[in-house]
Amino acid sequence: MSAPANAAAPGKSLARSRPRYGEYLIKAILLIAALVSIATTVGIVTALVEPTIEFFSEVSLGQFFGSTTWGPLFNPPAFGVWPIIVATLEITLIAIIVAVPLGLAAAIFLSEYATPRVRRICKPILEVLAGVPTVVFGFFALTFVTPLLKDWFPFLELESKNALSAGLLVGVMIIPIVASLSEDAMTAVPNGLREGSFALGASKMITSVRVVVPAAFSGIVAAVILAISRAAGETMIVAIAGGFKSVFTLNPADEMATMAAFIAQAGSGDASVGSIPYKTIFAVGSLLFIMTFAMNYVSARMVQKYREVYE
């Protein structure tokens, strides 16, 4: 007797033809999670665009970028943005000088020298540093680092609030970003490259610096650019330790206000909603957003250009 036409073929499970509603639900949740970040970015841009356009309808680009006097909350107001741009870049540069060597050294140790047990202990401790509230860093810089620098380097003539102390503590704050992401990139480098280097007689240090680090270069660059973006947008440390004085200076011993510090100061001040000083917050925020976006774009392009794919 022949088998019925609608009988299931041998070896095939009827369960496979059932809809997998659990997978659809997971896909939907993951899609929503991705859309939330996109929607947040779009919302930020939307909130910035209209007040920024209104600001530049009353303040020309020449006034904004053509002067070194910044005081939109004063009478008469001054809208030369360069003092807070220079302060932001200067403090960020100090932070990167601190964070990149220390972060890379920590990453090389964790990836190439530390035993698995030491790595399991040290890496979480290092990452805990990223969870310290930035206001704590700010008060630490103000009450400990600045007096210490004054005692050790009296010739610097540091002001009570200064860019040097703020930059040093911002650098300490972003060390975990550089170290953790760089260590992940180095760990992903195949052991075959290390073994080949050792076979040619190279030491562990030479292998780490000349083989592993170049192989993980794209990931390291991404970590550094992310750290730069984080440093440029830091608020509490620079507000507490760096100050709010908007002066055009390259001297890190002076008090100076960054773009983020100005936003915090103006946002908590007496600027009336809809006024030009109030709209200045959005103009500075838009400029900071563009600078951060440009750095992230450069990071993505460099990662794409120098990325190494191993099989």
Side-chain angles (χ1 to χ4, degrees):
M1 182 181 294
S2 61
N6 58 354
K12 291 187 177 180
S13 173
L14 294 176
R16 292 185 179 181
S17 62
R18 297 175 182 174
R20 298 186 177 182
Y21 297 108
E23 290 189 6
Y24 298 150
L25 178 61
I26 292 173
K27 289 181 180 179
I29 293 174
L30 295 176
L31 177 61
I32 292 172
L35 292 177
V36 165
S37 60
I38 297 174
T40 302
T41 304
V42 172
I44 292 172
V45 173
T46 303
L48 290 174
V49 167
E50 185 176 354
T52 301
I53 293 175
E54 293 176 356
F55 172 82
F56 284 111
S57 67
E58 301 186 46
V59 178
S60 67
L61 289 173
Q63 290 177 274
F64 198 64
F65 292 106
S67 173
T68 58
T69 303
W70 178 255
L73 304 178
F74 299 156
N75 189 16
F79 298 101
V81 76
W82 283 111
I84 59 176
I85 291 179
V86 170
T88 301
L89 296 178
E90 188 169 341
I91 290 177
T92 302
L93 177 61
I94 295 172
I96 292 303
I97 291 174
V98 172
V100 170
L102 294 178
L104 283 180
I108 291 173
F109 170 76
L110 292 173
S111 173
E112 305 303 313
Y113 289 90
T115 63
R117 181 180 179 183
V118 172
R119 188 181 300 114
R120 286 196 301 268
I121 296 173
C122 290
K123 189 171 182 180
I125 293 175
L126 179 65
E127 292 175 345
V128 165
L129 191 63
V132 177
T134 55
V135 66
V136 175
F137 282 117
F139 278 109
F140 180 73
L142 181 64
T143 60
F144 180 80
V145 176
T146 296
L148 188 66
L149 292 176
K150 286 182 177 180
D151 292 338
W152 287 3
F153 308 103
F155 58 89
L156 292 178
E157 299 181 355
L158 291 173
E159 297 187 14
S160 58
K161 295 184 178 182
N162 57 85
L164 181 59
S165 297
L168 291 175
L169 265 296
V170 172
V172 172
M173 180 197 68
I174 62 176
I175 285 175
I177 297 176
V178 178
S180 182
L181 297 181
S182 297
E183 192 269 338
D184 291 340
M186 293 178 190
T187 303
V189 175
N191 285 327
L193 295 180
R194 297 178 177 87
E195 294 168 356
S197 179
F198 294 145
L200 293 174
S203 64
K204 183 176 284 291
M205 176 57 71
I206 296 298
T207 301
S208 301
V209 174
R210 297 189 180 181
V211 176
V212 177
V213 170
F217 181 72
S218 62
I220 294 173
V221 168
V224 172
I225 297 295
L226 181 60
I228 292 174
S229 301
R230 179 67 183 87
E234 172 53 33
T235 303
M236 292 308 300
I237 297 177
V238 296
I240 296 173
F244 294 108
K245 186 186 294 184
S246 301
V247 291
F248 186 78
T249 177
L250 296 177
N251 185 2
D254 293 339
E255 178 180 351
M256 59 183 68
T258 65
M259 300 168 73
F262 165 75
I263 293 173
Q265 178 191 22
S268 59
D270 298 327
S272 58
V273 176
S275 64
I276 290 298
Y278 179 79
K279 293 175 183 176
T280 307
I281 299 172
F282 295 91
V284 174
S286 297
L287 180 58
L288 183 59
F289 180 87
I290 291 171
M291 292 170 59
T292 304
F293 178 82
M295 287 186 286
N296 289 330
Y297 177 77
V298 170
S299 172
R301 292 300 300 268
M302 293 189 69
V303 169
Q304 182 179 9
K305 181 177 180 179
Y306 295 104
R307 183 180 182 184
E308 299 285 350
V309 179
Y310 302 101
E311 296 182 356

